[in-house]
Amino acid sequence: NVLETVLQLSHGAYRVPLCTSAKILGIAPRTIYNRLSLGKWPLVPIRDNGRVFFSAVDIAQLLAGLLSQRDVDRRPKLSAFALVRRG
């Protein structure tokens, strides 16, 4: 179960700090901050005394969605750069 894995990685916390969330998702904390400021982050932040947290359930749903999408579409995508060079 993805939720059990997220809870295990967050040491049982249902409110996961941003840095721990970044480690679980495999991206840099600064990337999350940048996407939050641009309004392009899919998770709703929980703010408490200036710190940013995310729900463990939300992280698990995001991971489950990413994993299922990866299973559906296994072929590599061509970047815009590759398409321009090809043309």
Side-chain angles (χ1 to χ4, degrees):
N1 188 351
V2 179
L3 179 58
E4 291 173 358
T5 304
V6 170
L7 288 172
Q8 193 174 36
L9 293 170
S10 66
H11 306 290
Y14 284 95
R15 285 186 343 164
V16 183
L18 185 135
C19 288
T20 306
S21 301
K23 287 178 187 173
I24 292 171
L25 294 170
I27 59 176
R30 181 52 45 199
T31 302
I32 296 177
Y33 278 118
N34 290 342
R35 290 183 183 172
L36 276 172
S37 68
L38 294 172
K40 295 185 177 185
W41 186 247
L43 303 180
V44 177
I46 303 165
R47 298 183 191 274
D48 186 17
N49 290 328
R51 295 188 65 199
V52 179
F53 298 87
F54 296 102
S55 165
V57 174
D58 290 347
I59 294 170
Q61 288 175 343
L62 178 65
L63 283 173
L66 290 175
L67 292 174
S68 64
Q69 181 61 30
R70 190 177 299 158
D71 292 339
V72 168
D73 189 12
R74 289 189 175 268
R75 63 186 169 88
K77 301 214 182 301
L78 290 175
S79 67
F81 180 72
L83 291 174
V84 170
R85 290 197 54 165
R86 226 185 213 184

